[in-house]
Amino acid sequence: MTFPKDLKYTKDHEWIRVSGEEAIIGITDFAQRELGDIVFIDVDTVGNEVAQDEVFGTVEAVKTVSDLFMPVTATVLEVNEKIDGSPELVNQDPYGEGWLVRVKLDNPADVEGLLSAADYEAQVAV
Amino acid sequence: MIKNTALTDLHIALGAKMVPFAGFNMPVQYSGINDEHETVRKAVGVFDVSHMGEFILKGSGALDLIQRVSSNDASRLTDGKVQYAYLPNEAGGVVDDLLIYRIDEETYFLVVNASNIEKDWDWISKYNTNGVTMKNISDETSLFAVQGPKSADVLDSLTDMDLATMSYYSFAKGSFAGVDNVLVSATGYTGAGGFEVYVANKDARKVWDAIFEAGAPHGIKPIGLGARDTLRLEMGFCLYGNDIDDTTSPLEAGLGWVTKFTKDFVNAEGLKKQKEAGLENKLVGFEMVERGIPRQGYAIQDGNGNVIGRVTSGTQSPTLKKSIGMGYVALAHAKEGTELYIAIRNNPVKAVVVKPPFVK
C-alpha cells in the first residue's frame, strides 16, 4: 500500500492535493482495497459548496456503497470525466488517474489541519 | 466465538479478504469480485462453503418427518437424487431453504444455510416424534462448490464417478482424489453449472489441492462469497436473510413451484388459503434504467412517490455491466415492463421489472 507524502489525508480515507486555491480529491489506496471493485462514482454536488466532513458523493463497489466526505470546505468544480466510463481507474490508480473531483477551496489554510501521510498510515495500520 | 472452516489459514495465505459471515470467518474475495465472477461464468472456480450446515436423518420414519417439515414432495425422490425445498413456519414465513438428498429409502442428507443451523435443527427436532435418528455433521464436514463450464473437465480426472453424464440435481458417493466416501452432486448456486463436493474436514486440504492441481490448465481460481452473491443474483436465486426470511411468504417469493399441496406439511393450510385469496405482493427482478445501484432495504416507489415495496438484493451485475436487483412490490406493479423507482439516497431512480434470470 502506498501513501504519497505530498498529499493530505482524512480519517475517512480521502486524500487531497492542493495547488493554489484549487485541489483535487480522491480516495486512498487503503480505501479502494477495502471497497473492492468500484463500479460507479455518484457525485451530485457539482457547483455546490460542501462543508468540511459533509458528504459530496458516494462510491459504489460491487458489494458495498460508501459516502465520500469533503476534507475541507470547498466548492465542487468538476468530476473526473475518465472515471465515469472507467470506474476501475479508482482501483488501479487511486492517487493518479483515479482522482474523483476538482474543487475550489474556501480557505486553503484549512488543509493544514488534515492528516499527514505518516499520520494516516499509522491510522490504517491498526 | 467465530468459527473457522478447515481451510481458513489457506484462504488467508492465498490473500483472501476475510469477513465474518453467519458466525464464520469466510473469504469474501481473493483476486476481486469481477474477476472471480467472470472466472466462474467462463471457466471454473472453487468456493469453500463449508459454513453450510449438514444433517443426516435416518430411520423408518425419516421420509415422514421430511414430508412434515418440507414444502416439497420428498416422496418423489429416488436414491441419488436431490430436491430443493423450504421449511415453512407456522406463521406464514420461511424457517430456511435447503437441499434434500436421498441416500437410500431410510437415509436423507439435508443441507441448510449456515446462519440457520441451530434454528433448523431445533425446528426439525420439534417435529421428530417418531424416533428418527438425527445427526448434525456440520462441524466435521467441508463443502467445496466447483462451479463453471469447465467443472466436469476438471473433476473427471479425480474420480471414477461419472460426472460428465451426471444430471442436474443428482449425486454419487465414492472415491475422489484418493479419498473414500466423498459425496459429489451436480448442484450449485451460480447458474454456471458444476458440482458440490462434500468431504470430511480431515481430508479437505487433500481434496482442495487435488482440485486445484487438476484445474490449473483451465485457470481454476478460488472464489469468495462476494462473487457467490453476484452470481446467484444474476440468476435470480433467493438468498435466505435477504429475499426470504421468517416473515416473508414463500408464495410471494415465487417458491410456489416447490410448494406441493398434494401432501400435508407445516402450515400447508395457511399457505393454501393465501394462494386462494390471492397474493398481495410479489418478489420481482428489476434492472436499473437510470444510473444507480439498488441495495437491500431501499424503498421501491411508483411514479407518484408512493412506497410500493422494498429492495431485498441488489448489485452491479458483472456480466451485464448493469445494476440489477430483486424486491417485493405490490402485485399491481409486478408485471414485466412496469416502471419502478428505487429510492437511492432519497432520489427516485428509474428501474423496470424484468423476469429473472437476468443472465440467460
Side-chain angles (χ1 to χ4, degrees), chain B residues 35-357:
Chain B
D35 178 62
E36 292 166 37
H37 183 105
E38 192 178 322
T39 299
V40 172
R41 282 269 176 266
K42 294 189 172 158
V44 54
V46 185
F47 306 76
D48 179 2
V49 281
S50 302
H51 60 313
M52 301 287 287
E54 295 88 8
F55 304 153
I56 293 171
L57 271 55
K58 198 173 174 58
S60 57
L63 178 60
D64 284 348
L65 173 58
I66 290 167
Q67 291 289 66
R68 181 92 198 103
V69 296
S70 166
S71 61
N72 207 337
D73 184 359
S75 73
R76 301 179 68 93
L77 281 168
T78 53
D79 293 355
K81 291 289 179 190
V82 190
Q83 186 175 71
Y84 176 70
Y86 64 90
L87 308 175
N89 66 24
E90 281 150 4
V94 178
V95 177
D96 200 4
D97 63 342
L98 77 168
L99 292 180
I100 300 167
Y101 291 64
R102 177 167 143 159
I103 309 277
D104 62 43
E105 211 181 334
E106 297 195 349
T107 315
Y108 293 82
F109 178 67
L110 274 45
V111 182
V112 304
N113 283 298
S115 52
N116 293 331
I117 294 173
E118 261 190 59
K119 184 177 75 167
D120 293 354
W121 178 263
D122 293 345
W123 182 259
I124 299 169
S125 299
K126 191 173 101 170
Y127 291 92
N128 183 14
T129 49
N130 277 320
V132 173
T133 304
M134 290 176 53
K135 200 172 168 196
N136 180 356
I137 59 165
S138 306
D139 285 345
E140 299 94 88
T141 307
S142 290
L143 169 56
F144 304 139
V146 183
Q147 299 281 297
K150 301 289 183 196
S151 299
D153 293 347
V154 171
L155 300 189
D156 232 13
S157 62
L158 299 173
T159 180
D160 290 337
M161 290 183 265
D162 192 3
L163 301 182
T165 62
M166 186 182 272
S167 59
Y168 195 46
Y169 273 64
S170 298
F171 71 96
K173 225 174 167 179
S175 175
F176 183 97
V179 176
D180 288 335
N181 259 326
V182 176
L183 192 160
V184 181
S185 59
T187 51
Y189 194 45
T190 64
F195 301 88
E196 293 183 297
V197 180
Y198 298 85
V199 57
N201 284 350
K202 64 179 173 52
D203 299 316
R205 182 63 194 263
K206 189 177 175 187
V207 165
W208 174 279
D209 287 346
I211 293 170
F212 274 81
E213 197 180 319
H218 298 283
I220 200 166
K221 286 181 187 175
I223 314 294
L225 293 182
R228 186 170 167 81
D229 192 49
T230 53
L231 287 157
R232 72 90 193 170
L233 191 45
E234 284 187 345
M235 301 313 294
F237 296 153
C238 286
L239 172 62
Y240 194 91
N242 278 45
D243 313 299
I244 48 175
D245 62 33
D246 293 302
T247 66
T248 55
S249 158
L251 301 177
E252 293 189 345
L255 297 178
W257 65 285
V258 288
T259 308
K260 298 294 161 66
F261 293 119
T262 47
K263 52 154 236 180
D264 191 29
F265 59 90
V266 173
N267 199 33
E269 278 309 307
L271 292 172
K272 207 185 284 178
K273 268 187 203 148
Q274 188 184 27
K275 188 181 175 184
E276 281 160 8
L279 304 177
E280 288 173 26
N281 303 291
K282 194 169 176 244
L283 183 65
V284 296
F286 59 86
E287 265 177 21
M288 299 306 296
V289 175
E290 297 172 342
R291 282 186 77 167
I293 301 179
R295 306 286 182 185
Q296 185 182 19
Y298 288 4
I300 303 177
Q301 302 172 347
D302 66 12
N304 299 321
N306 303 307
V307 174
I308 52 164
R310 68 185 169 91
V311 176
T312 53
S313 288
T315 193
Q316 169 90 352
S317 157
T319 304
L320 302 173
K321 316 283 181 215
K322 276 188 208 170
S323 300
I324 57 171
M326 299 204 294
Y328 287 93
V329 294
L331 203 63
H333 301 273
K335 217 178 132 205
E336 215 178 324
T338 307
E339 272 183 11
L340 305 173
Y341 292 84
I342 312 302
I344 301 180
R345 295 178 283 281
N346 299 321
N347 294 320
V349 182
K350 197 190 281 185
V352 63
V353 175
V354 298
K355 200 172 150 51

Side-chain angles (χ1 to χ4, degrees), chain A residues 53-65:
Chain A
D53 296 334
E54 293 296 312
V55 174
F56 70 88
T58 52
V59 51
E60 298 262 14
V62 177
K63 282 293 283 178
T64 50
V65 54

